[in-house]
Structure formats: structure tokens, C-alpha cells
């Protein structure tokens, strides 16, 4: 008899770690609330004040679960040379890209690479789709 095919995991199980990180950004920095809010009617000052709170909380969440290092260590704006055989996952060329490496240009963003990931093992009973529970305050 042919072996039964393994059941495919539902998307929320396959992507549970990403959903967990999104949940952590919401819990610490109200990230989802911020990006789901229509901000056109708010003043720049109001948006700036909210962004400070969101930034602080999201930064805390990222630092708690992911160690980050810059891919390039030069200052942004510095002249850099991209050698032959460069890794296109680590370096994206923009602007007038013609010819062959080495390429000379200006560093526009240093990039990020995850040095380590400290996400917890998730309980299989957890519904990873719940990014933030509804909150009900009782009198």
C-alpha cells in the first residue's frame, strides 16, 4: 500500500515564528495599530509623538528576539567598491548598473543580517493567528 502523504501544515503553523514576531511588535510597540491607523488627518506633531512610542517599543521587541549586525560597516554615503563575485543577497545594486564588477558607488544603506535569533519554541496549541487579543476592561 502506498504511504499516506503527510498532511500539509496550515499557513499559520508554517509561519508561526513570523506571526509571533509581529505579535511581539504589537505587544511592545503597538505596531499593527500604528500601521492600520489612517493618519492623513493627524498633524505631523501627532504622528511624530506616536512614532516615538511605536519606535521605542518595536526596537525593544526586535532587540529581545533578534541580534542584528550591519552587512557593510562603512558610513552611509561612503565610497565603496563591490567586488566580482559579490553576494546579491547581501548587496543590491541600484542606479546605473551596467558592465561587470568591480563596481564603484556610494553606500546608500548598510543592510542588516541576523546574527542570532532567540524566538521561543511555540506551544502547538497556540493559535498563531491571534496577534493581539481584544482587551475588555471591567469596572
Amino acid at each position: 500500500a502506498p504511504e499516506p502523504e503527510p498532511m500539509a501544515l496550515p499557513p499559520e503553523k508554517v509561519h508561526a515564528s513570523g506571526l509571533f514576531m509581529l505579535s511581539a511588535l504589537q505587544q511592545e510597540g503597538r505596531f499593527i495599530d500604528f500601521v492600520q491607523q489612517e493618519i492623513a488627518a493627524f498633524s505631523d506633531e501627532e504622528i511624530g509623538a506616536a512614532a516615538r512610542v511605536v519606535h521605542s517599543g518595536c526596537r525593544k521587541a526586535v532587540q529581545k528576539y533578534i541580534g542584528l549586525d550591519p552587512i557593510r560597516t562603512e558610513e552611509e554615503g561612503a565610497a565603496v567598491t563591490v567586488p566580482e563575485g559579490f553576494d546579491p543577497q547581501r548587496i543590491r545594486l541600484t542606479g546605473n548598473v551596467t558592465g561587470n564588477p568591480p563596481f564603484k558607488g556610494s553606500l546608500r544603506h548598510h543592510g542588516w543580517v541576523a546574527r542570532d535569533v532567540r524566538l521561543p519554541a511555540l506551544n502547538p496549541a497556540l493559535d498563531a493567528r491571534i496577534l493581539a487579543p481584544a482587551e475588555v476592561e471591567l469596572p
Side-chain angles (χ1 to χ4, degrees):
E3 287 188 36
E5 290 188 29
M7 289 185 54
L9 291 173
E12 64 271 14
K13 296 292 183 186
V14 172
H15 303 291
S17 60
L19 292 171
F20 173 85
M21 194 65 216
L22 187 56
S23 176
L25 292 170
Q26 170 63 22
Q27 182 179 356
E28 295 291 343
R30 298 286 199 181
F31 175 75
I32 297 171
D33 294 341
F34 183 75
V35 298
Q36 290 296 103
Q37 177 74 41
E38 178 55 56
I39 62 172
F42 293 97
S43 71
D44 288 348
E45 292 78 22
E46 291 169 317
I47 295 167
R52 286 188 186 282
V53 173
V54 173
H55 175 270
S56 175
C58 290
R59 185 170 193 245
K60 178 180 174 184
V62 169
Q63 289 178 336
K64 180 176 182 179
Y65 296 112
I66 303 170
L68 296 170
D69 286 329
I71 291 174
R72 299 290 302 230
T73 57
E74 301 91 347
E75 291 289 322
E76 292 181 0
V80 295
T81 300
V82 178
E84 185 174 340
F86 73 95
D87 183 347
Q89 291 185 75
R90 290 179 165 261
I91 299 174
R92 178 181 23 205
L93 301 174
T94 62
N96 186 20
V97 182
T98 59
N100 297 309
F103 298 107
K104 294 187 182 300
S106 297
L107 185 64
R108 292 294 171 230
H109 187 272
H110 55 67
W112 292 109
V113 62
R115 172 181 7 91
D116 60 286
V117 178
R118 301 175 295 276
L119 294 173
L122 300 179
N123 182 332
L126 175 74
D127 184 349
R129 298 171 303 159
I130 305 300
L131 302 176
E135 296 178 15
V136 176
E137 184 175 336
L138 304 179

